[in-house]
Amino acid sequence: MNLQDTIDKNNLPRHLAIIMDGNGRWAKQQGFLRAFGHESGSKSVKEIIKTSAKLGIEYLTLYAFSTENWNRPKLEVDTLMKILVNALKKELPTLQNNNIRLNTIGNLDKMPQSTQRELLDVIEKTKDNTRMTLTLALSYGSREELISVVKDISNKVKNNIISIDSIDDSIINEHLYTHNLPDVDLLIRTSGEHRISNFLLWQIAYAELYFTDILWPDFKEQDLYEAIISYQKRERRFGKTSEQIK
Ligand code: IPE
Ligand code: IPE
Ligand code: MG
C-alpha cells in the first residue's frame, strides 16, 4: 500500500511542528561522535521539508536549538552552528525551487554573527515565496518568549497604548515570536522522549501530539506520512462533544 495515497489532502495539519530529537543517540548506537548524528539529522531535515511542501503543509516549524542547548559542551554547540550555516548556504536553491519562505523564532542575538548574517540573507531572498513557511526555532525557549510578551505588553500598558481590560488571546498572539503563524495542529517528537522541552507552550494548547521512537536521523518521508495518517484518524473536539462536531 502506498501510504501517501491514503492521506486526505483536505484534512492536513495546517501547522506542523517537530521536535527533532535523537541525533546524539543515533550516532552513539553506531559508534560515531555526536557531531555525525547532527550531520545525518540535517539530511532528515531536508527530506521532511521537501515532503511537507509537496504534501501541501502551509506552515512547518522545526525545533533546531533550544535556549537550554546553550548549556551543551562548547564543541557541540560550535559544530551545530557550523552545520546550520553550511546547510543554509547549500539549501537556498532547495527553498527557492520549492517556493518555501524561511522564517525564524528565538533569540537570534545569541547566535554567532556569521549564522545571523546567513539567516537574514536567506530570509530576505525567500521572502516572496508562498507555498510553505518554514520556521526554524533557534535559541528558542517558550518561557523566554512568554517573558518577552509580558514585558512588551506591560510597557504598552504603562504608556497607555493598551488597557489592561483589552488583553486577550489575540493580544498575546500578536506579541509572540509566532505572531505571523497559526496555532500548531500537529506536534511530532522523535526519539521516544515524551516531553515538550520548552517548545511553543502557548501555541500547542490544542495541538495533537504524536510521539515516535524513531531517532531523528532515521525519520523519513514514510514516517511523516504515518504521523499525518494518525492525525487524520483523530477527532479534534476543542472542548465540545463529539455530537457537536458532527
Ligand atoms: C536533537 O538531538 C538535536 C538537538 C537538540 C540540537 P540530540 O542532540 O538531543 O540527541 P540525543 O537526544 O542526545 O540523542
Ligand atoms: C529538544 O531536545 C530541543 C531540540 C530538539 C532542539 P533536547 O534533546 O534538548 O531535549 P531534552 O533536554 O532531552 O528534553
Ligand atoms: Mg535530545
Side-chain angles (χ1 to χ4, degrees):
M1 187 191 55
N2 189 341
L3 276 183
Q4 196 189 343
D5 295 339
T6 67
I7 291 176
D8 175 2
K9 289 284 171 68
N10 296 314
N11 183 24
L12 290 171
R14 185 165 179 231
H15 186 176
L16 168 64
I18 308 182
I19 302 173
M20 311 181 291
D21 197 16
N23 293 349
R25 278 163 284 167
W26 182 90
K28 201 172 169 191
Q29 275 177 7
Q30 352 220 345
F32 295 121
L33 295 172
R34 292 178 60 85
F36 186 67
H38 296 311
E39 278 290 354
S40 303
S42 67
K43 296 195 181 112
S44 294
V45 172
K46 181 175 177 177
E47 180 161 332
I48 294 309
I49 291 171
K50 284 168 76 173
T51 304
S52 300
K54 191 175 75 179
L55 265 177
I57 303 282
E58 285 177 70
Y59 299 90
L60 173 65
T61 300
L62 301 176
Y63 202 8
F65 195 86
S66 72
T67 46
E68 290 75 21
N69 288 150
W70 289 114
N71 299 322
R72 291 194 178 189
K74 186 176 181 308
L75 180 64
E76 177 161 349
V77 172
D78 291 348
T79 306
L80 277 162
M81 295 300 147
K82 268 192 211 122
I83 290 172
L84 177 64
V85 176
N86 290 338
L88 286 165
K89 284 196 179 127
K90 196 167 143 243
E91 300 306 340
L92 178 62
T94 308
L95 298 181
Q96 300 293 40
N97 294 337
N98 289 281
N99 194 10
I100 297 168
R101 183 171 76 96
L102 181 69
N103 177 47
T104 57
I105 53 173
N107 186 355
L108 287 198
D109 292 345
K110 286 185 79 180
M111 310 289 285
Q113 287 290 330
S114 58
T115 314
Q116 288 187 37
R117 266 199 308 276
E118 203 56 49
L119 279 165
L120 293 177
D121 183 56
V122 178
I123 288 170
E124 172 61 25
K125 285 179 174 147
T126 61
K127 72 176 192 307
D128 295 323
N129 292 346
T130 54
R131 191 187 195 187
M132 184 176 85
T133 298
L134 166 66
T135 301
L136 293 181
L138 291 166
S139 189
Y140 175 86
S142 199
R143 287 188 168 182
E144 193 174 89
E145 178 182 32
L146 292 170
I147 289 166
S148 80
V149 170
V150 172
K151 285 184 178 168
D152 288 351
I153 295 180
S154 304
N155 260 314
K156 288 187 181 169
V157 169
K158 191 171 99 188
N159 295 313
N160 292 316
I161 298 169
I162 55 176
S163 69
I164 288 183
D165 288 341
S166 70
I167 299 171
D168 59 6
D169 277 36
S170 66
I171 298 260
I172 306 273
N173 276 324
E174 282 165 26
H175 290 82
L176 289 164
Y177 298 148
T178 52
H179 57 88
N180 50 355
L181 309 176
D183 277 354
V184 176
D185 297 300
L186 173 61
L187 174 68
I188 298 175
R189 183 174 188 143
T190 59
S191 90
E193 306 298 357
H194 297 173
R195 55 178 174 258
I196 303 299
S197 302
N198 203 10
F199 190 42
L200 302 174
L201 299 178
W202 170 277
Q203 299 88 336
I204 60 166
Y206 257 105
E208 294 298 326
L209 308 180
Y210 181 88
F211 298 101
T212 169
D213 288 341
I214 299 170
L215 302 173
W216 178 249
D218 288 330
F219 191 86
K220 300 292 172 188
E221 181 172 354
Q222 299 300 318
D223 305 305
L224 179 59
Y225 295 152
E226 276 183 27
I228 290 175
I229 289 164
S230 161
Y231 168 85
Q232 293 188 333
K233 286 186 185 139
R234 305 180 190 187
E235 181 181 61
R236 301 184 75 192
R237 290 191 287 278
F238 298 96
K240 295 181 180 171
T241 67
S242 189
E243 288 68 26
Q244 283 176 297
I245 301 298
K246 283 175 184 122

